[in-house]
Amino acid sequence: MQGVCVPILCVCICVTVLLRSAISQPRSESDTYTECTDGYHWDPQTEHCKDINECETIPDACKGEMKCFNHYGGYLCLPRSASLIPAPEPPITPAQPLNPCPLGYEPQGNSCVGGCLVYCEGQVAVTGVRTGGSMWVQSVGQWRVTLTLYMSVMLHDAVFAHNNSILNVYLCIASPTNTDIDECERHEHDCQPSQECINSVGAFTCQCPDGYRKVGTECVDIDECRYRYCQHRCVNVPGSFSCQCEPGFQLAGNNRSCIDVNECEMGAPCSQRCYNTYGTFLCRCDQGYELGPDGFECKDIDECSYSSYLCQYQCVNEPGKFSCVCPEGYRLLGTRMCQDINECETGEHECTETQNCVNIHGRYQCVDKNSCQEPYIQVSDNRCVCPVSNPACRELPFSIVHRYMSITSERSVPSDIFQIQATSVSARAYNTFRIRSGDENGDFYIRQINNISAMLVLARAVSGPREYTLDLEMVSINPLVNYQNNYQTSSALRLSIYVGPYTF
């Protein structure tokens, strides 16, 4: 039987054997030594006592879950998970002096000292009766086993069987600087590749990493997404999971909930106005703009293209708005209407002192203050008289009064534009009104209102700029008055009509 040591654990038991019957006296040269202690038998070939393997010779040497391990002079019953690594058997030379101790032990005084057993379980103890203090004692056969405890470690089911001797077992630390063997670091474990090896004092355990569960001998990933840990989307990954949020949201501090993102504060691509909403945002435009097809850019609205009635004259589109402008000679009235500028009142004209300024639509006209033509003579502003003493005046109106007016283009017709009123009428006179000249195209006509007044009516729509000079005549017939054998007299109103270029 060889001496044994187990290198994978941290405690070793040193055994001292005390022989109850003292060690045999040295034999004389003539004696033949053939007797051995119990557990040994004489080997005539080597002339030494050889250990008996009780695990082979004794049926059922260990009961239950215990395993039999042969030992010098006896055997051990240890748990089946224990394993012993045999130490090399020391060479035997016949020339050496006879060793009366069992193989693996050396004589020391009256005792046999030697052997080292290292037990493979973390906690080991010899079954026996505690006698007090730190001693455990058990008698097995003719052996008395004494275990001295130097630390709180138990030895399980270790049986030493010897006769006529006392076996003292001392528990000691094999290596104070390397007490525990890290099986995980030395890869001396049987954990599966999917498991983690966790070292402990005298042992190790196989555990599944976080996010895995054990199925049989393998570690299988736990699908955490089944448990609805995430508010929006859950992405399972080996050993873990991650939460993701829908667009417009971001993970909260707990990495599971989703909170709204204020895109307007994070540079949303709105060109003008941005309004944050739950999970998204909206772009809006200022007045005068409209949102483009992409929903981000604002395009100017060309209000002028929508209607021709926005402005009286001309609509000018501007970024985000429009404005109305008026032609020369007009000014803007409010925001859309055009009003003629009376240059004669504002002094914005170039008429001389001998001329009168006549305001017309969009401009002004300078006329001579003395507009009388031969044979007429001026008697007052704008009034000319043809003297009765002048033979050339017989076929002409007695007086001509000059008047000026302006009308707009495309005026609706028929339209009353000027009223004629007699300033002096003879008693019993009968008055008629007519257009004496200037209406060659028949654009006007006279509608008599009564004996002393009539209305000039625009018969056709006319476009400007254009100028008419109409002689409107009032003919008076008085049968009671005989003037040069002619009871008919007349007076005229020379009306200058300026048609403006626009409808306003």
Side-chain angles (χ1 to χ4, degrees):
M1 175 67 185
Q2 297 176 341
V4 291
C5 287
V6 181
I8 63 173
L9 291 182
C10 63
V11 294
C12 102
I13 299 176
C14 296
V15 181
T16 301
V17 180
L18 302 179
L19 300 180
R20 180 175 299 175
S21 58
I23 299 177
S24 303
Q25 298 294 326
R27 57 177 179 169
S28 62
E29 294 182 358
S30 61
D31 294 336
T32 302
Y33 184 83
T34 59
E35 294 183 2
C36 298
T37 59
D38 291 342
Y40 292 85
H41 67 90
W42 178 254
D43 185 0
Q45 183 178 357
T46 60
E47 296 182 350
H48 282 80
C49 290
K50 187 177 181 179
D51 177 64
I52 299 173
N53 190 346
E54 292 84 358
C55 296
E56 296 179 354
T57 60
I58 302 176
D60 297 329
C62 298
K63 305 295 184 180
E65 296 298 322
M66 305 305 291
K67 182 179 179 181
C68 180
F69 290 88
N70 189 54
H71 185 56
Y72 301 116
Y75 63 94
L76 301 176
C77 291
L78 300 176
R80 293 187 179 274
S81 59
S83 62
L84 299 178
I85 301 176
E89 186 172 350
I92 301 175
T93 57
Q96 293 178 348
L98 178 65
N99 184 1
C101 295
L103 185 63
Y105 295 88
E106 298 294 335
Q108 183 175 335
N110 294 329
S111 302
C112 292
V113 180
C116 179
L117 295 179
V118 179
Y119 291 88
C120 299
E121 295 295 329
Q123 296 180 345
V124 187
V126 176
T127 57
V129 179
R130 185 169 183 173
T131 60
S134 60
M135 301 297 297
W136 287 77
V137 180
Q138 181 180 0
S139 297
V140 181
Q142 297 184 14
W143 280 88
R144 180 184 173 95
V145 179
T146 302
L147 174 64
T148 303
L149 299 179
Y150 291 97
M151 57 185 296
S152 56
V153 177
M154 299 291 292
L155 298 176
H156 290 287
D157 301 320
V159 179
F160 300 87
H162 290 284
N163 294 321
N164 302 321
S165 298
I166 298 176
L167 181 63
N168 291 334
V169 182
Y170 298 95
L171 189 66
C172 60
I173 301 297
S175 177
T177 60
N178 189 20
T179 303
D180 176 57
I181 296 176
D182 191 342
E183 297 88 350
C184 300
E185 182 179 354
R186 299 174 61 172
H187 302 288
E188 296 177 355
H189 61 83
D190 57 355
C191 296
Q192 297 296 322
S194 60
Q195 297 175 336
E196 292 181 349
C197 177
I198 307 298
N199 185 60
S200 59
V201 178
F204 65 90
T205 57
C206 298
Q207 295 181 0
C208 290
D210 292 339
Y212 291 82
R213 59 188 177 91
K214 192 173 183 181
V215 177
T217 60
E218 295 294 332
C219 292
V220 180
D221 174 54
I222 298 174
D223 186 3
E224 295 87 352
C225 296
R226 296 184 305 169
Y227 305 106
R228 301 184 64 85
Y229 289 140
C230 301
Q231 182 179 357
H232 283 182
R233 294 198 304 262
C234 178
V235 179
N236 186 60
V237 296
S240 184
F241 70 98
S242 63
C243 295
Q244 296 180 355
C245 296
E246 300 293 342
F249 295 87
Q250 65 182 7
L251 279 178
N254 59 10
N255 290 327
R256 294 186 179 184
S257 302
C258 293
I259 57 177
D260 176 57
V261 173
N262 190 341
E263 296 87 350
C264 298
E265 296 180 352
M266 301 177 65
C270 296
S271 61
Q272 291 187 355
R273 298 182 183 180
C274 179
Y275 296 92
N276 185 59
T277 60
Y278 188 70
T280 184
F281 65 95
L282 297 175
C283 294
R284 291 293 180 263
C285 300
D286 297 331
Q287 184 176 359
Y289 294 86
E290 62 183 354
L291 203 61
D294 60 357
F296 305 134
E297 293 293 329
C298 291
K299 301 189 304 181
D300 174 59
I301 298 174
D302 186 1
E303 297 89 350
C304 299
S305 65
Y306 286 107
S307 174
S308 60
Y309 298 100
L310 292 177
C311 297
Q312 192 175 35
Y313 173 63
Q314 183 178 353
C315 177
V316 178
N317 185 60
E318 299 178 10
K321 61 179 181 178
F322 70 96
S323 62
C324 296
V325 296
C326 295
E328 185 179 1
Y330 294 82
R331 61 187 172 195
L332 197 63
L333 180 64
T335 58
R336 300 187 180 187
M337 306 299 291
C338 291
Q339 184 183 49
D340 173 58
I341 298 174
N342 191 336
E343 295 88 353
C344 299
E345 290 182 356
T346 62
E348 300 176 4
H349 63 83
E350 297 180 357
C351 297
T352 66
E353 293 182 357
T354 62
Q355 294 176 321
N356 287 326
C357 178
V358 177
N359 184 65
I360 59 179
H361 284 86
R363 59 192 179 95
Y364 65 94
Q365 186 74 28
C366 294
V367 297
D368 293 334
K369 290 182 178 180
N370 185 4
S371 56
C372 298
Q373 298 177 358
E374 290 290 340
Y376 288 90
I377 60 173
Q378 184 177 9
V379 295
S380 64
D381 287 345
N382 300 325
R383 189 169 185 268
C384 302
V385 174
C386 191
V388 293
S389 59
N390 189 343
C393 293
R394 290 185 178 182
E395 300 297 328
L396 298 176
F398 173 71
S399 66
I400 296 177
V401 177
H402 291 270
R403 291 288 184 268
Y404 308 93
M405 70 171 297
S406 177
I407 63 175
T408 59
S409 291
E410 302 300 328
R411 188 164 180 170
S412 60
V413 293
S415 176
D416 297 345
I417 60 173
F418 190 84
Q419 185 175 353
I420 308 169
Q421 183 74 38
T423 57
S424 63
V425 180
S426 301
R428 297 179 181 262
Y430 176 72
N431 301 313
T432 60
F433 299 87
R434 65 176 182 174
I435 300 176
R436 182 182 177 90
S437 63
D439 185 26
E440 291 78 11
N441 296 325
D443 295 330
F444 304 90
Y445 69 88
I446 291 290
R447 185 182 76 248
Q448 187 163 343
I449 300 174
N450 52 42
N451 191 46
I452 61 172
S453 65
M455 182 67 68
L456 176 65
V457 179
L458 178 65
R460 297 179 182 178
V462 292
S463 299
R466 188 173 181 180
E467 183 178 342
Y468 292 90
T469 301
L470 300 179
D471 282 348
L472 306 179
E473 184 180 25
M474 182 183 71
V475 179
S476 297
I477 300 175
N478 190 345
L480 299 179
V481 178
N482 186 0
Y483 176 71
Q484 295 182 352
N485 297 322
N486 186 3
Y487 57 88
Q488 177 177 316
T489 62
S490 67
S491 61
L493 186 148
R494 184 163 290 171
L495 180 63
S496 297
I497 301 175
Y498 300 96
V499 181
Y502 307 108
T503 59
F504 46 87

